[in-house]
Amino acid sequence: MIKKTQPLFPPQEVTANINESIGNTTIGEAIARNHGLLWHHFFDSLLSLDDYTQLLNSIRAVTGNPALQAELETRWKNEDIQQDEAINTLLHHVRYACLYLELGSDAEAQKNRDRAWAFTNYASVMIGEIIEKSATILNARDAESRAKQNSKNAQGRNNSILPVKEEAARLLHELKPKTGWPYKTTAITKLTKPLSAFIEKNNTPTLQISNIEKWLTEWLREDEHVNRAWENSKRVKIR
């Protein structure tokens, strides 16, 4: 007979914490999460970083102008970038999901919260369907060719992120206190604003600013460039 382990927290506390986490999700966090899902389940496996970047740039160029948006949507109807019909069909839905996320982001910037949530929720429903259809396409693909595509995309991600890592390393040296950084949390807090501005200026789509604390913490610990800069700029403990 297997003895059941007792849960660390009472069921009602777990439920309350989950409800609190969901209920406190901001529009920005929801949009960032949806972009992450699109990248992971569609672009990273079926297309490329360049396709993702070009799509976002084309959408951002027309946001707030219905006439230009209509022209972009018309071009989409006559524009295929893959010979695979299934991918082109799915891409049509992905384009609109990205469009609605950007419209949601624009509405949020204008403090129109109801409109922002409406666009974001609509995109979320689409993305759920996109994930299912993408999984079907991937399961039908040859495993070896998929591995080659993932390797190519991983290289593209690394190349796009490298300037951000180099900037983080530079800022660690430039902004360090006279006696060095006392804690990693101190460095992260100090680097967040200038690094966010750098990402926005260089339009790095694979990095979400809302997750900056998470990936900067990982870089400080594991990345070759950022960890080296941290080790050279942190406060030396005197024993």
Side-chain angles (χ1 to χ4, degrees), residues 43-67:
F43 288 98
D44 190 33
S45 300
L46 296 175
L47 293 183
S48 71
L49 175 62
D50 286 342
D51 293 319
Y52 186 35
T53 303
Q54 290 171 13
L55 176 59
L56 290 181
N57 287 340
S58 66
I59 291 173
R60 288 166 180 165
V62 305
T63 302
N65 189 321

Side-chain angles (χ1 to χ4, degrees), residues 1-15:
M1 182 176 178
I2 300 175
K3 185 179 180 180
K4 292 184 178 180
T5 58
Q6 292 297 320
L8 295 176
F9 303 99
Q12 63 271 23
E13 184 176 343
V14 174
T15 299

Side-chain angles (χ1 to χ4, degrees), residues 39-138:
W39 168 256
H40 178 72
H41 291 280
F42 183 76
F43 288 98
D44 190 33
S45 300
L46 296 175
L47 293 183
S48 71
L49 175 62
D50 286 342
D51 293 319
Y52 186 35
T53 303
Q54 290 171 13
L55 176 59
L56 290 181
N57 287 340
S58 66
I59 291 173
R60 288 166 180 165
V62 305
T63 302
N65 189 321
L68 292 179
Q69 180 182 325
E71 290 180 8
L72 178 63
E73 292 180 44
T74 300
R75 290 200 301 273
W76 285 348
K77 294 178 182 178
N78 304 311
E79 184 181 86
D80 291 335
I81 62 174
Q82 284 276 332
Q83 293 181 349
D84 190 308
E85 184 178 350
I87 294 179
N88 279 327
T89 300
L90 188 54
L91 175 61
H92 178 76
H93 298 289
V94 170
R95 284 166 170 166
Y96 276 94
C98 286
L99 173 63
Y100 297 141
L101 288 176
E102 289 304 311
L103 290 173
S105 181
D106 185 62
E108 168 67 2
Q110 298 177 36
K111 307 300 182 183
N112 192 337
R113 298 293 167 79
D114 288 343
R115 187 176 177 85
W117 273 121
F119 279 122
T120 304
N121 289 339
Y122 197 86
S124 295
V125 173
M126 294 184 68
I127 291 169
E129 296 175 353
I130 288 166
I131 291 172
E132 291 183 8
K133 293 176 181 178
S134 178
T136 300
I137 294 173
L138 288 172

